[in-house]
């Protein structure tokens, strides 16, 4: 610990006073890169000691005591900070770190966030999260040889220097936002068609009919309950699955229940329960007869959904151009089926599921691109740079546009940020301090136990390494944050009390103290929410039902993702104005989904639905249209009208046109009304 404290030529201890902050405070309008207006931020000038002797003299003059906090100067400085915050401003007091505190390594290891979380290092990971079967050979070589094309060796002792260099950030000037102009008459179906075109419905109909014949040929017998489907019926089928996410019931058959409190009249009118089950049974997206088996040339782990991916990935990318700030993170899809790529994630709310890497907009949550985990790669070297390959595959096409990427510690590394910076992309995110290239002097064993708000920084050009303590110790890397900038977000209100539990004075009551944070952490907290926002919109209303086929989960995932993206495009392109015909106060995602499902279903009615419609038209005068009470069979059956009312009566009479048994008496006329 003591050795790290002496080597201050490689990192900086930043501190400030009230006078310095008052002259460097900036307005909220010029706050760096999407910072909230509530954040007060300051630029702290770097002060390099002239010599080691002067530094030691300054440490001796700071105060005496066991821990360095008992000096009069420190007490006065703390009082000034409290008064400054109470007056509506912000003050930052950063511990110099040279106060003579001795740290116990075992105690610090328990407190350090990274002391036990070293299993995500790039050098130890053996999993692959994306499929590289559709990449060119040159792109594959660029992923696996990222260490060879670096300008400088990040492990060199001379790589990192003092944080006193000026960083260069090019302005973002690319076209961004929705690229479709549909006009004021466009409705939810038109926005959904941008991302999920009608050609996909036609492809689903063709492959579903072919798969039904394929299954019947393999079994050697025909299915008497199956007949070919069409585009109208397939759209109605998708619409019913969307409505199931809004009106959730434990079992699919309950939507067609005869109980008036459980059954859904709209589902019964659209198609029968048996027809819905048959469409679910034979639903298919690919030609199963030409599917290559594992080990053959051209094998694709995502062959069953490849036609869907080829269309949806292009439509999502073209419909909405990325804004300046983007988020890269992973999401999990709950599954009950058996699939080799299913992962067990004990630290996540969804402990078992399928993994998808996503590139989303930091503000709206729009998903621009998604990559699916398909299993471990065959190459050993491909498993050594997982996070590097995931990020570089997600940001293809953004080179030279100066976007700002925010990612978590699973991805962030020095080689990755160097590669992105060379390609005209800035990045920021926490990292694991044990990774290759991270400054040795900023690692936990060398920095020691930090106080809350204390931080150290090193710099190499635009690349800035920071270690600080917020709730726990955090190490981060950034290429879009200047060193020496600190901000304070509004904190919790605290009340200082004396030993008797009463306030000392009115001035100390209700003060709001915030934790000072360096600029990289502030930017990360403000912009690392794009994927979470997309997940919140997607998880509110699920699409589809659980099953044992793994590819169905990805099908409904992309359908749901297209709905979320279409809702975001409608909301931003119309400026919050709802579609024509909507009379509510606010057009929410629920209204969007209900309206979309209704437009997909339209006026489609299956065989049972048309029969019910004919019965309703003839209800005024059933005798005129041939409906009459007559003997149906020798064996009595339950009266349909009594069953609808929760009663149990049987009769041999009924209506042959409606094909139902009815009691003699009032049930005939009551049923036809």
């Amino acid at each position: 610990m003591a050795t790290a404290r002496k080597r201050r030529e490689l990192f900086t201890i930043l501190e400030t006073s009230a006078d310095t902050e008052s002259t460097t405070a900036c307005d909220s309008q010029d706050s760096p890169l999407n910072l909230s207006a509530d954040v007060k931020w300051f630029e702290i000038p770097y002060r390099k000691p002239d010599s080691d002797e002067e530094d030691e003299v300054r440490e001796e003059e700071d105060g005496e005591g066991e821990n360095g906090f008992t000096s009069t100067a420190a007490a006065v400085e703390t009082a000034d900070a409290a008064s400054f915050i109470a007056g509506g401003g912000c003050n930052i007091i950063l511990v110099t770190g040279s106060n003579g505190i001795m740290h116990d390594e075992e105690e610090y290891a328990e407190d350090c966030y990274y002391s036990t979380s070293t299993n995500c290092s790039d050098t130890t990971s053996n999993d692959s999260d994306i499929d590289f079967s559709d990449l060119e050979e040159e792109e594959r070589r660029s992923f696996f040889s990222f260490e060879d094309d670096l300008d400088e060796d990040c492990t060199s002792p001379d790589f990192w220097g003092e944080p006193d260099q000026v960083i260069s950030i090019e302005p973002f000037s690319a076209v961004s936002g929705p690229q479709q102009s549909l006009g004021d008459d466009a409705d939810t179906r038109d926005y959904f068609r941008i991302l999920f075109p009608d050609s996909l419905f036609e492809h689903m109909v063709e492959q579903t009919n072919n798969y039904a014949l394929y299954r019947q040929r393999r079994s050697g017998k025909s299915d008497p309950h199956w007949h070919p489907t069409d585009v109208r019926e397939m759209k109605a089928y998708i619409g019913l699955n969307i409505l199931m996410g809004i009106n959730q019931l434990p079992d699919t058959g309950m939507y067609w229940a005869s109980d008036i409190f459980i059954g859904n009249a709209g589902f019964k009118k659209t198609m029968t329960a048996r027809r819905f089950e048959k469409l679910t049974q034979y639903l298919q997206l690919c030609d199963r007869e030409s599917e290559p088996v594992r080990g053959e040339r051209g094998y694709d782990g995502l062959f069953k959904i490849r036609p869907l991916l080829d269309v949806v990935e292009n439509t999502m990318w073209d419909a909405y151009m990325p804004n300046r700030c983007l988020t890269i993170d992973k999401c999990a899809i709950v599954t009950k089926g058996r699939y080799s790529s299913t992962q067990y994630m004990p630290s996540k709310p969804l402990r078992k599921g399928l993994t998808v890497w996503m590139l989303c907009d930091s503000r709206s949550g729009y998903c621009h691109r998604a990559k699916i985990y398909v299993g471990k790669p065959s190459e050993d070297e491909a498993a050594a740079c997982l996070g590097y390959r995931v990020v570089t595959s997600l940001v293809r096409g953004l080179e030279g546009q100066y976007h700002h990427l925010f990612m978590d510690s699973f991805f962030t590394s020095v080689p990755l940020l160097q590669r992105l910076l060379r390609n005209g992309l800035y990045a920021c995110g926490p990292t694991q301090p044990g990774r290759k290239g991270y400054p040795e002097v900023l690692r936990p064993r060398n920095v020691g136990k930090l106080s809350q708000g204390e931080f150290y920084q090193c710099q190499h050009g635009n690349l800035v390494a920071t270690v600080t303590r917020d709730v726990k110790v955090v190490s981060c890397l950034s290429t879009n944050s200047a060193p020496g900038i600190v901000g304070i977000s509004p904190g919790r209100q605290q009340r200082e009390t004396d030993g008797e539990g009463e306030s000392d004075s009115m001035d100390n009551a209700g003060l709001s103290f915030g934790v000072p944070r360096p600029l990289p952490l502030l930017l990360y907290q403000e912009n690392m929410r794009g994927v979470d926002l997309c997940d919140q919109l997607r998880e509110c209303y699920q699409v589809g039902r659980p099953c044992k086929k793994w590819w169905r989960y990805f099908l409904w995932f992309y359908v749901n993702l297209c709905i979320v993206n279409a809702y975001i495009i409608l909301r931003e392109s119309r400026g919050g104005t709802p579609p024509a015909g909507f009379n509510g106060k606010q057009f929410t995602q629920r209204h969007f989904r209900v309206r979309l499902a209704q437009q997909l279903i339209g006026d489609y009615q299956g065989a049972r639905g048309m029969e019910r419609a004919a019965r309703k038209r003839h209800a005024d005068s059933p005798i005129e249209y041939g409906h009459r009470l007559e003997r149906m069979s020798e064996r009595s059956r339950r009266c349909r009208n009594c069953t609808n009312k929760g009663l149990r009566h049987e009769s041999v009479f009924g209506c042959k046109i409606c094909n139902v048994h009815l009691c003699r008496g009032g049930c005939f006329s009551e049923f036809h009304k």
Side-chain angles (χ1 to χ4, degrees), residues 524-573:
Y524 178 80
Q525 293 173 350
E526 289 290 331
N527 298 283
M528 187 60 187
R529 57 184 177 183
V531 177
D532 295 336
L533 180 57
C534 181
D535 287 343
Q536 290 175 3
L537 295 173
R538 184 177 54 85
E539 291 290 343
C540 287
Y541 309 100
Q542 291 290 341
V543 179
R545 307 292 297 184
C547 62
K548 294 184 178 180
K549 297 181 179 180
W550 63 267
W551 65 268
R552 295 280 180 91
Y553 291 96
F554 289 123
L555 167 63
W556 299 126
F557 168 80
Y558 275 97
V559 172
N560 204 355
L561 198 59
C562 289
I563 296 175
V564 172
N565 287 347
Y567 170 69
I568 295 174
I569 293 176
L570 180 144
R571 184 179 59 188
E572 294 194 5
S573 60

Side-chain angles (χ1 to χ4, degrees), residues 3 140 303 410 432 604 631:
T3 304
R140 292 172 60 89
F303 180 84
F410 184 82
Q432 301 292 336
Y604 176 80
R631 194 178 188 91

Side-chain angles (χ1 to χ4, degrees), residues 285-288 290-292 298-307 550:
L285 295 174
C286 66
D287 186 6
R288 294 295 300 274
S290 60
E291 180 180 7
Y299 170 77
D300 184 6
L302 301 176
F303 180 84
K304 292 182 175 63
I305 59 172
R306 182 59 62 185
W550 63 267

Side-chain angles (χ1 to χ4, degrees), residues 252-268:
T252 305
M254 298 180 67
Y255 293 96
W256 286 268
S258 58
D259 192 333
I260 59 176
F261 298 103
I262 299 178
N264 191 303
F267 280 68
K268 299 176 184 178

Side-chain angles (χ1 to χ4, degrees), residues 246-304:
I246 300 174
N247 181 21
Q248 300 182 10
L249 292 177
D251 185 70
T252 305
M254 298 180 67
Y255 293 96
W256 286 268
S258 58
D259 192 333
I260 59 176
F261 298 103
I262 299 178
N264 191 303
F267 280 68
K268 299 176 184 178
K269 177 182 176 181
T270 304
M271 65 178 63
T272 62
R274 176 176 291 175
R275 182 58 180 173
F276 186 87
E277 293 175 358
K278 287 299 175 181
L279 288 174
T280 304
Q281 177 182 353
Y282 294 118
L283 181 64
Q284 197 63 233
L285 295 174
C286 66
D287 186 6
R288 294 295 300 274
E289 296 186 19
S290 60
E291 180 180 7
V293 298
R294 185 183 296 272
E296 289 186 359
R297 183 178 180 84
Y299 170 77
D300 184 6
L302 301 176
F303 180 84
K304 292 182 175 63

Side-chain angles (χ1 to χ4, degrees), residues 164 346 587:
D164 54 358
F587 191 72

